[in-house]
Amino acid sequence: MTVDLFRAIPESKLAESSEGYRRQSTLRIPSNVPYVVDNLWEWLRPDSMPSRRHAVYASGTPKLALENASAPLANGDCYVACRVVVGADEIRVAQLQVSDARNHEDIRMISRWLSRHSREFTEISLAERQVLALLFSPGLRQKELEELRQQSQLIQNLCAHVQEHSTLWPTASTAPNATSGELFFELLGSALYRLAPLPAVSPQISTNPNMR
């Protein structure tokens, strides 16, 4: 089984990419969603799905990879579309139905619940508010959030609501396709991936040496 994944990197980085890339061991907190949402998504994440905190973002086609490229370009440099070379059994893959997780309905769902229960936040004890504050801190692990859930009825209620109504993981696909849905993968164990440059794909994006 093969997995069609593509990334675009600056042409100047091709030489170093030949060495391959390993799983990022440290947490990288996604910046496109609120911390509380990221924490709840990680708590809900099935074992079969990749963690967004250790994920590599990719695209389903070379053209989309070029359109999604964001690495800084030096003057005269350009993006080159590459195929991700990795075994299908060495990664977990997920593709969302939205092009960016920041547009996912879960965020509005969670925000509405927090708004409806805002008065309860002010009526709980200081000790429980301190527990609750941790829910909004970056990078809570599944076990850590579960421990908080056991300490706070309010967090229990929120988790129950999100567990019932969240659609992020239930609607995510593990079979990448050529749509623009946000696509990411996580390397397993000591696996690494390499990038194989493809022939020029339109559009080719480059910087203008004459631009300031």
Side-chain angles (χ1 to χ4, degrees):
M1 176 182 173
T2 59
V3 181
D4 288 328
L5 299 171
F6 303 91
R7 286 174 56 80
I9 62 172
E11 188 175 37
S12 59
K13 301 292 184 180
L14 285 177
E16 64 185 63
S17 72
S18 63
E19 299 178 4
Y21 302 93
R22 296 193 180 277
R23 181 179 184 272
Q24 178 173 302
S25 58
T26 56
L27 290 182
R28 180 177 58 197
I29 309 303
S31 60
N32 59 341
V33 300
Y35 293 150
V36 62
V37 173
D38 176 62
N39 289 334
L40 288 164
W41 279 347
E42 180 64 13
W43 176 69
L44 288 172
R45 180 177 61 83
D47 290 340
S48 60
M49 290 293 185
S51 170
R52 299 180 73 245
R53 299 167 176 184
H54 296 279
V56 179
Y57 287 82
S59 299
T61 69
K63 183 176 180 180
L64 284 170
L66 287 170
E67 292 174 355
N68 294 331
S70 59
L73 285 176
N75 284 341
D77 205 355
C78 64
Y79 292 122
V80 175
C82 302
R83 179 181 294 277
V84 175
V85 180
V86 66
D89 59 346
E90 296 180 310
I91 58 173
R92 296 190 186 103
V93 183
Q95 185 167 27
L96 306 183
Q97 294 186 343
V98 292
S99 59
D100 192 306
R102 77 178 70 211
N103 300 320
H104 199 278
E105 174 58 29
D106 274 12
I107 297 177
R108 290 183 286 275
M109 177 267 292
I110 293 169
S111 296
R112 287 194 296 266
W113 192 96
L114 292 172
S115 179
R116 286 198 304 270
H117 294 269
S118 59
R119 184 174 178 179
E120 296 175 49
F121 295 126
T122 63
E123 294 177 344
I124 59 177
S125 67
L126 176 60
E128 190 169 2
R129 267 184 278 171
Q130 290 173 331
V131 171
L132 187 66
L134 294 173
L135 182 64
F136 297 82
S137 63
L140 279 183
R141 293 169 173 81
Q142 290 176 321
K143 182 180 179 181
E144 292 171 335
L145 197 151
E146 182 60 28
E147 291 172 353
L148 293 182
R149 193 174 73 89
Q150 301 301 325
Q151 298 175 49
S152 168
Q153 184 62 53
L154 198 53
I155 294 179
Q156 283 186 37
N157 295 343
L158 171 59
C159 287
H161 178 80
V162 174
Q163 196 166 32
E164 179 180 358
H165 296 285
S166 174
T167 60
L168 180 87
W169 298 119
T171 61
S173 171
T174 57
N177 55 58
T179 68
S180 60
E182 182 177 283
L183 176 60
F184 52 97
F185 66 91
E186 179 184 8
L187 292 164
L188 301 178
S190 59
L192 56 79
Y193 76 92
R194 293 183 172 84
L195 296 176
L198 298 171
V201 178
S202 181
Q204 186 76 358
I205 304 171
S206 63
T207 58
N208 185 339
N210 297 319
M211 290 180 63
R212 298 180 63 180

